[in-house]
């Protein structure tokens, strides 16, 4: 016998497009058993994997945002420290300039004092040399004048005290005239 005919009532002909009721019930029963098995065993595993993937993605994004925020904070801190370092460097440079200017002023002042001391010592030496030269010149001029006068007069004028007095008086008169001429010229 034909199985299709066996399931169908005797005398009725079966439509090949419509399944038989026992097959539908067995198929549904198998479907629910497989669906239940997949729902109990496979679906939690799939859910777990999807959850882990979602957590990894969201966690990675959160970690990236946290790392970016931390990097931004570090960058701001670095910029602040760099600004402070620049300010400190400018302060140190300004302080060094001030110290250099103070040292330069001290060195100039010391140089000025040394120059004035050297000039004063030079003036004192010149004055001493001038006095020495004047005294030597007076003596030589007096001696020459006495010798000349002795030759003109024809007698010896060897009296030293008298000779010095005459020469000194003559030279004092010359210096007085020279000083008066300088005062009038100014």
């Amino acid at each position: 016998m034909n199985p299709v005919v066996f399931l169908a009532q005797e005398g009725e002909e079966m439509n090949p497009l419509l399944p038989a009721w026992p097959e539908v019930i067995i198929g549904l029963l198998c479907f629910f058993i497989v669906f239940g098995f997949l729902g109990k065993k496979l679906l939690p595993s799939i859910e777990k994997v999807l959850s882990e993937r979602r957590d990894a993605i969201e966690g990675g994004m959160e970690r990236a945002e946290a790392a970016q925020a931390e990097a931004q904070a570090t960058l701001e801190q670095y910029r602040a420290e760099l600004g402070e370092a620049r300010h400190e460097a400018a302060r140190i440079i300004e302080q060094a300039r001030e110290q250099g200017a103070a040292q330069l002023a001290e060195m100039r002042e010391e140089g000025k004092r040394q120059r004035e001391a050297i000039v004063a010592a030079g003036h004192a030496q010149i004055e001493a040399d001038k006095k020495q030269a004047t005294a030597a010149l007076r003596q030589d001029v007096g001696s020459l004048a006495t010798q000349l006068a002795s030759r003109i007069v024809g007698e010896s004028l060897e009296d030293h005290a008298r000779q010095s007095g005459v020469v000194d008086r003559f030279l004092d008169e010359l210096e007085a005239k020279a000083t008066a001429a300088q005062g009038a010229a100014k």
Side-chain angles (χ1 to χ4, degrees):
M1 266 212 232
N2 190 351
V4 175
V5 177
F6 176 70
L7 291 174
Q9 299 278 337
E10 302 212 9
E12 281 185 31
E13 219 177 281
M14 193 156 177
N15 186 355
L17 294 177
L18 292 176
W21 282 108
E23 288 178 6
V24 170
I25 292 174
I26 292 174
L28 281 176
L29 186 63
C30 287
F31 174 75
F32 284 119
I33 290 172
V34 170
F35 187 73
F37 175 75
L38 290 177
K40 291 287 184 182
K41 297 289 182 185
L42 194 59
L43 191 59
S45 297
I46 293 173
E47 285 282 329
K48 182 180 174 186
V49 169
L50 289 177
S51 174
E52 288 173 358
R53 184 177 288 170
R54 182 174 46 248
D55 289 342
I57 291 171
E58 289 175 359
M61 290 175 62
E62 289 174 1
R63 285 189 301 274
E65 289 173 0
Q68 186 176 7
E70 184 179 340
Q72 188 66 26
T74 304
L75 179 63
E76 291 301 320
Q77 180 182 3
Y78 169 74
R79 286 182 179 163
E81 289 175 358
L82 185 61
E84 290 176 13
R86 286 182 179 156
H87 179 70
E88 182 68 18
R91 185 187 64 77
I92 289 171
I93 290 171
E94 185 61 30
Q95 185 179 13
R97 282 185 186 147
E98 290 173 0
Q99 288 177 352
Q103 288 177 350
L104 184 61
E106 285 179 20
M107 291 172 67
R108 282 183 179 162
E109 195 62 36
E110 180 64 27
K112 195 175 187 181
R113 278 194 299 269
Q114 288 178 358
R115 184 193 70 197
E116 288 173 0
I118 291 170
V119 168
H123 284 301
Q125 183 66 37
I126 290 171
E127 190 62 34
D129 289 346
K130 181 179 173 184
K131 285 181 182 180
Q132 186 180 4
T134 303
L137 186 61
R138 278 182 181 233
Q139 194 175 25
D140 289 345
V141 168
S143 172
L144 287 174
T146 306
Q147 286 176 0
L148 183 61
S150 293
R151 285 188 187 166
I152 292 176
V153 173
E155 45 182 274
S156 176
L157 299 173
E158 292 294 325
D159 184 14
H160 189 56
R162 193 181 197 191
Q163 179 185 1
S164 286
V166 171
V167 171
D168 286 340
R169 191 177 46 227
F170 176 72
L171 290 176
D172 287 340
E173 287 175 12
L174 283 177
E175 283 180 7
K177 286 180 184 179
T179 305
Q182 283 180 351
K186 287 184 182 179

